[in-house]
Amino acid sequence: QGYKIQVTKNTILIEAPTSQGRYYGAQTLRQLVRTSTKGTLPLLSITDYPSLEIRGVSDDVSRGQISTVEDFKEIIRELAYYKKNIYMPYIEDSFEFKTDPIIGRARGHITQKEMAMMQEEAKKNHIYLSPVFESLGHQDRLLSLPQNRQYAEVTAPDKAPWSFSPVNPKAFNFVTQLIDDMAEATPNPYFHIGGDESFDIGEGTSKELVDSIGIGKVHARYFNKVIDYLGKKHNRQVMLYGDMLLRHPEALEEMSRDCIIVDWHYYPQSEYTTLRVFKENGFKKVVACPAV
């Protein structure tokens, strides 16, 4: 992904061993032109390469404000201009799943055709399109559909569902079918399974297991199953939010290290001390995720 630029009196030369490096060199040249004065460029030599493997933005599109395809394409191009390499639309139920096409339909969702167009634009601009699909909590709307209520942690009719059951085999089978749909629509090396704010685990189907081994270990064992499934079925490295692991530290002991922890927080901070917690517990890849 590195490149070199040389601006001499008569030539501008961009050199890189890959198309991605040459692309990034062209973005830097665009920035030089954009900030040039009196239509001239300074004579210079630049050697540049990224210091971070993962550089991207997560974009919450699950609150009823689905962008148009052209908007999504513009976002992708703008991120690429600044040499970002991953775009993660945050998706709860706002996608047209083949497994259950009714999901998200009543309030707007990204169709299969639209996702394919976004994927094509991302590929052209050297960006991985890697949606965040919530695979445990944050699925109140999806689980409120009558045919899907059976997969919830809390199935009592007088209570609102929130999380998938981490102990119901039928629920896991359903989740993996949804994962298959999303993975097939967005081929890339990563798959973000969400995993944050699953606050109702232990209040329904998993109560007996939580009482036996603890809520942290229930989370870890569920996440590990999803990580194993995505690795074997789709050859994906899983990304997941780390807040529930921090909330229940006993989960750290059992968690697979073959994943990328996305350490998100509600508000921007000057220092992310929790990054150190994950590094000290043997997680080799940790992403800082400041909120805006």
Side-chain angles (χ1 to χ4, degrees):
Q1 296 178 39
Y3 62 91
K4 294 181 179 180
I5 294 181
Q6 281 190 317
V7 180
T8 64
K9 187 173 182 180
N10 298 310
T11 63
I12 299 172
L13 177 64
I14 297 174
E15 290 183 286
T18 67
S19 59
Q20 188 171 11
R22 294 188 288 274
Y23 179 91
Y24 288 156
Q27 303 314 306
T28 294
L29 179 59
R30 290 177 65 198
Q31 293 164 13
L32 290 170
V33 171
R34 183 165 149 180
T35 57
S36 64
T37 58
K38 299 180 181 179
T40 62
L41 294 178
L43 305 184
L44 53 77
S45 177
I46 294 173
T47 300
D48 184 28
Y49 55 89
S51 58
L52 296 175
E53 179 181 339
I54 297 172
R55 313 174 299 280
V57 169
S58 174
D59 180 14
D60 190 342
V61 299
S62 256
R63 315 293 170 181
Q65 77 291 5
I66 300 295
S67 301
T68 66
V69 171
E70 287 307 313
D71 288 333
F72 280 125
K73 288 182 177 180
E74 180 60 29
I75 290 169
I76 288 168
R77 289 191 292 266
E78 186 73 3
L79 292 176
Y81 179 68
Y82 292 104
K83 306 182 183 71
K84 307 303 179 190
N85 66 351
I86 191 167
Y87 175 50
M88 298 181 288
Y90 170 86
I91 290 175
E92 294 174 0
D93 63 331
S94 52
F95 178 61
E96 183 184 38
F97 292 96
K98 294 178 182 178
T99 297
D100 188 352
I102 301 300
I103 292 172
R105 181 177 291 178
R107 62 188 202 91
H109 59 342
I110 301 171
T111 68
Q112 292 277 337
K113 182 178 179 180
E114 289 167 340
M115 190 67 86
M117 296 168 69
M118 292 163 61
Q119 173 68 24
E120 182 181 2
E121 189 69 25
K123 187 176 180 180
K124 284 196 302 186
N125 289 277
H126 297 278
I127 282 184
Y128 294 128
L129 177 62
S130 184
V132 181
F133 172 58
E134 287 285 6
S135 306
L136 186 57
H138 274 285
Q139 288 292 7
D140 48 323
R141 285 177 288 263
L142 186 157
L143 290 169
S144 292
L145 296 174
Q147 71 273 23
N148 297 332
R149 190 61 193 267
Q150 60 181 310
Y151 306 125
E153 162 70 359
V154 176
T155 57
D158 60 331
K159 295 183 178 180
W162 179 255
S163 299
F164 289 108
S165 167
V167 297
N168 180 352
K170 290 184 178 179
F172 185 77
N173 182 59
F174 182 64
V175 169
T176 54
Q177 289 180 60
L178 299 177
I179 286 173
D180 290 344
D181 291 344
M182 184 68 74
E184 290 166 7
T186 57
N188 72 89
Y190 308 109
F191 194 102
H192 198 316
I193 65 171
D196 59 311
E197 297 185 330
S198 46
F199 297 135
D200 63 341
I201 298 302
E203 296 180 6
T205 62
S206 68
K207 185 179 188 309
E208 184 177 345
L209 186 60
V210 165
D211 290 344
S212 173
I213 67 172
I215 191 169
K217 291 185 177 181
V218 170
H219 275 84
R221 291 181 185 182
Y222 178 79
F223 291 149
N224 287 345
K225 281 179 64 179
V226 180
I227 291 167
D228 185 63
Y229 178 85
L230 273 156
K232 290 179 178 176
K233 178 75 181 286
H234 297 286
N235 194 30
R236 300 291 186 90
Q237 186 163 33
V238 165
M239 305 171 83
L240 74 152
Y241 292 124
D243 61 312
M244 298 308 289
L245 307 182
L246 294 172
R247 190 181 180 95
H248 306 289
E250 69 275 15
L252 295 170
E253 301 172 15
E254 292 207 12
M255 272 299 302
S256 167
R257 273 29 179 191
D258 188 24
C259 65
I260 301 170
I261 300 295
V262 180
D263 187 19
W264 81 275
H265 296 269
Y266 284 104
Y267 305 104
Q269 301 174 31
S270 59
E271 184 178 356
Y272 286 79
T273 57
T274 48
L275 293 171
R276 192 172 298 113
V277 173
F278 292 111
K279 296 294 279 187
E280 290 174 351
N281 276 275
F283 292 93
K284 292 182 171 57
K285 290 189 177 182
V286 186
V287 175
C289 187
V292 176

